Amino acid sequence: SAFFIDSALAVPQLLGAGVDYIILDYLAEGAMGMMGRMRLADPDRGFPGDFMDVHIGPFLTQIAQTGTKIVSNAGAVNPAGLAKLLRSKIAELGLPLKVAAVEGDCLMHRLADFADTRDMFDGSSVLEKIESADRVNSLVAYTGAFPIAAALGAGADIVITGRAVDSALALGALIHEFGWGPDD
């Protein structure tokens, strides 16, 4: 399932089918810039509202009833903010769902560390790009599957990440379900 263009019917159809996991991939590089601008305008935002308004928020009761686990990178540049909003809605509904936020992808505090880096495609100076930009909206590293698996292992029903590797969303669930290690 994915962001803006995905059907509002996908989640209820999957819940009705009795799936174990629903994985929602919200992010691409362009989305990160947009979410970064959103968070600059409002520090409590920085994630797509569709997650709460369209895809997951309206179905929290069914998620709790079915036991379906949700894994999503919808946290964008503010996974803790989305997790907080989600926990608030869950409490309001009186549901027993547990939410985990996987963080560590944001590198904005380390922007200066990348000044000597060269662009991987054209070899140009990253410092020159930083200096010529009006501002930097986001700087993130891709996180992997093991933090997602750990969150599921700790009892999370819904796992929210920032910029995780696309495959990590599914692989985290598989690692959790099958007990895979880094060498598997």
Side-chain angles (χ1 to χ4, degrees), residues 54-175:
V54 176
H55 296 127
I56 295 301
F59 308 106
L60 290 169
T61 299
Q62 293 94 322
I63 291 166
Q65 290 169 344
T66 63
T68 300
K69 305 288 187 203
I70 307 298
V71 179
S72 180
N73 60 8
V77 298
N78 190 3
L82 178 55
K84 180 181 176 184
L85 182 63
L86 190 54
R87 287 182 190 115
S88 175
K89 178 71 172 179
I90 289 167
E92 178 184 308
L93 295 170
L95 299 171
L97 297 171
K98 295 180 183 174
V99 178
V102 174
E103 297 188 299
D105 60 311
C106 180
L107 299 176
M108 288 292 284
H109 63 286
R110 294 188 50 205
L111 186 60
D113 294 347
F114 295 90
D116 292 332
T117 306
R118 304 304 252 169
D119 184 287
M120 65 187 262
F121 296 108
D122 64 12
S124 62
S125 166
V126 171
L127 176 61
E128 289 175 15
K129 291 179 182 185
I130 292 169
E131 289 174 342
S132 68
D134 293 336
R135 68 179 178 268
V136 176
N137 294 325
S138 69
L139 178 64
V140 294
Y142 289 71
T143 59
F146 284 97
I148 295 168
L152 292 165
D157 300 295
I158 301 173
V159 180
I160 303 298
T161 75
R163 191 64 179 118
V165 177
D166 295 349
S167 61
L169 300 175
L171 188 56
L174 294 169
I175 290 168

Side-chain angles (χ1 to χ4, degrees), residues 20 23 51 65 148 160 168 177 181:
D20 295 325
I23 297 166
F51 185 84
Q65 290 169 344
I148 295 168
I160 303 298
E177 289 292 329

